[in-house]
Amino acid sequence: MSLSETTEGYPSAKEELELLKRSVSMLESEFNPELNLLRVKYHTNGYHTMLTGVEYVHSTRASVEYALALLDTGLPEYEAKAFKIIEQIISLQDRDPSRDTYGIWSYYYEEPLDKMAPPDWNWADFIGKVLVMIAIRHGERLPEMLAGRLQEAVFHACESIIRRNMGPHYTNIAIMGSFVAIAAGEQFGHRGYLEYGLGKFEAFHAYTRRLNTFQEYNSPTYTVVAIIELSKIRSYCRSPRAIAIADEMLRLAWTMAGEHYHAATGQWSGPHSRCYHTLLTDATHAFLRRCLGKEWTELAADYPVHLLEWHRSGASCPDDLRSLFQKPAERQLREIYYRREDGYEKIGTTWMTPSYSVGSASKEVMWNQRRNLLIYMDNGGKPAYASLRMLHDGYDFSAPVLTAVQDKGHVLCGMQFSVNGGDTHIGLDRINGSIQAEDLRLRLEFGGALEGMELNAAQEHVVLTIGGTRVSLSLLSLVFNGDVPEVQPKWTVTREGDLLALDLLLYSGSRRLIDFAGMRRAGICFAVSAEAAEAATAHDLAGMEASADETDLRADWSPAGRRLSLMLPLKPDRVETLRGQQ
């Protein structure tokens, strides 16, 4: 049954309240009455938080969401606890206007703002939006002194948002910041915040309408957040213009989600410009089911924290868009998701069939939040995936730049190396021409349901069959000329736990300098193809041509009638100028 085939419909207000109460009770054991904060398992994305050697922490965001949920239950016995949490959260905000962290919070009680590297200014939006929701939903229940302090905290958050003035390109922060300012302006009668919030929301609307997509193109993580926050604006703000923009942007978000949803695997087809999990999390599955009116009774027991965020948000998929979530016959999408003033564009291409989907980005860095080449396959009702990565000492290396051209399930790819791109992050730890490394490799990673997989590996050409899908990977050209030993042009099969990887080793050995700026030539060209196994042909290798001279890498391939071509400069250069021709 597809997600759009509703059998039960949405829960009633009474039923949803019971789900919330169950969720709140499940978090009882994680509440620390000494700190008046909620304990959570520690997680780091590799930046902002620098804590080490800890398993659990006390989260400001989870705690304030818990406080709102406690009040949302309507149970008098939860009020005192909620008030204490709110007091504690307010006390942890930086309220000193002379500091650059004014108006924000740290992630965790255990790590104050001055210990983070760097602090996350988004927390003015993430915490501020919950505080203003508390004021809207439960302001009359708060003690007078606490209500006044909460209003001050919201104002401090608004001032931080205004001071930072994040542009409309950062979709979720643009929406959240707009909501905090509009809601604060309406709730507390502050005209300045209301006008700022409306102006910010108008700017986001105009920016998004240029290409009719979000800057974080087709992101499972960010699109879900955008849907939730836009739904709150529609549900809780009074401005007719804000509501109209929210409605329009919600249709855009749900259309993107539905057009990329692959029913056979239950996955969100690529490419993804921002992504934290290659397979959709249980929580995202639950959110989609909830918004499409399916299996809602199963949600609260498994996903209590996420349900707190959804509760009374008003999020739901428009009825006329639900058919997009049904199993497609075949569908190809080509969308411009980035355009520069000089006309330079990035294109996302997605090919979907009943059993597999293939997505690629025409030009992107290899950050671990990108899914630039992504294949999903149905393996007996369970999803398998193949995802392209570049690894520096086992962690995703952001600095290389992928160029890809795609037709249906066939993708011709080229990899260049920048001299100033990011290492682990696109902006926080840029390299300066070189890196120290023990290992550098290109990887096509296979994960998920790999049972019954068949593998046929040669040096330069590998074929895998998973379920009814055949995936082939062919190395066409490899140039890596610099202060590293010569590398062999072959794929190596690597197994790591439940994963299987096809690796092209660029360097592996003792720690040494890899000087990209000093290299005359560095580039890789390869081809990836996905087809139904019973219909697969011999065109994987047929017609492939690639050559590298002293300056450029060229490749041509005509796998299904359409010619795919690349020409890429081989000299490593600044990430801003590695453009190539397609």
Side-chain angles (χ1 to χ4, degrees), residues 522-549:
I524 309 168
C525 183
F526 56 100
V528 179
S529 181
E531 298 178 282
E534 68 275 10
T537 64
H539 62 232
D540 302 283
L541 294 173
M544 288 184 178
E545 296 181 0
S547 62
D549 58 24

Side-chain angles (χ1 to χ4, degrees), residues 297-370:
T297 55
E298 302 173 7
L299 305 188
D302 295 330
Y303 318 115
V305 174
H306 296 277
L307 185 62
L308 303 188
E309 180 72 5
W310 308 338
H311 184 66
R312 292 175 62 181
S313 68
S316 64
C317 179
D319 291 344
D320 63 316
L321 297 181
R322 295 188 185 188
S323 62
L324 293 173
F325 290 84
Q326 293 176 343
K327 193 171 184 177
E330 289 184 348
R331 178 189 300 161
Q332 178 153 297
L333 306 171
R334 284 179 56 83
E335 299 177 286
I336 298 169
Y337 65 91
Y338 175 85
R339 179 184 288 137
R340 221 162 45 199
E341 290 183 358
D342 61 1
Y344 171 57
E345 296 176 341
K346 295 180 183 180
I347 298 171
T349 303
T350 307
W351 169 249
M352 300 174 66
T353 77
S355 58
Y356 66 90
S357 73
V358 182
S360 67
S362 64
K363 179 78 73 173
E364 279 295 357
V365 297
M366 295 299 292
W367 188 25
N368 68 348
Q369 290 188 29
R370 306 278 193 238

Side-chain angles (χ1 to χ4, degrees), residues 519-570:
M519 291 184 182
R520 290 184 299 106
R521 303 185 306 157
I524 309 168
C525 183
F526 56 100
V528 179
S529 181
E531 298 178 282
E534 68 275 10
T537 64
H539 62 232
D540 302 283
L541 294 173
M544 288 184 178
E545 296 181 0
S547 62
D549 58 24
E550 285 301 305
T551 59
D552 296 310
L553 174 65
R554 294 176 175 84
D556 287 283
W557 184 30
S558 301
R562 180 192 169 198
R563 183 184 178 189
L564 304 179
S565 299
L566 289 175
M567 187 178 80
L568 303 173
L570 284 170

Side-chain angles (χ1 to χ4, degrees), residues 267-268 272 275-280 371 374 376 385-387 445:
Q267 298 301 309
W268 193 310
H272 304 149
C275 182
Y276 297 109
H277 307 278
T278 304
L279 292 174
L280 287 185
R371 298 296 182 271
L374 181 60
Y376 288 118
Y385 73 83
S387 181
E445 175 184 280

Side-chain angles (χ1 to χ4, degrees), residues 30-39 58-60 62-64 66-67 70 80-89 91-92 109:
E30 301 304 321
F31 178 69
N32 184 336
E34 295 182 1
L35 296 179
N36 291 312
L37 294 171
L38 203 65
R39 188 183 76 152
H58 293 85
S59 165
T60 53
S63 296
V64 75
Y66 181 52
L70 290 170
K81 180 192 291 188
F83 296 161
K84 289 178 181 178
I85 296 172
I86 296 168
E87 285 277 11
Q88 177 69 303
I89 292 297
S91 74
L92 296 174
Y109 177 84

Side-chain angles (χ1 to χ4, degrees), residues 38-59:
L38 203 65
R39 188 183 76 152
V40 300
K41 194 168 181 63
Y42 175 63
H43 169 73
T44 177
N45 53 15
Y47 35 90
H48 291 308
T49 175
M50 295 292 110
L51 288 175
T52 58
V54 296
E55 186 175 2
Y56 290 94
V57 288
H58 293 85
S59 165

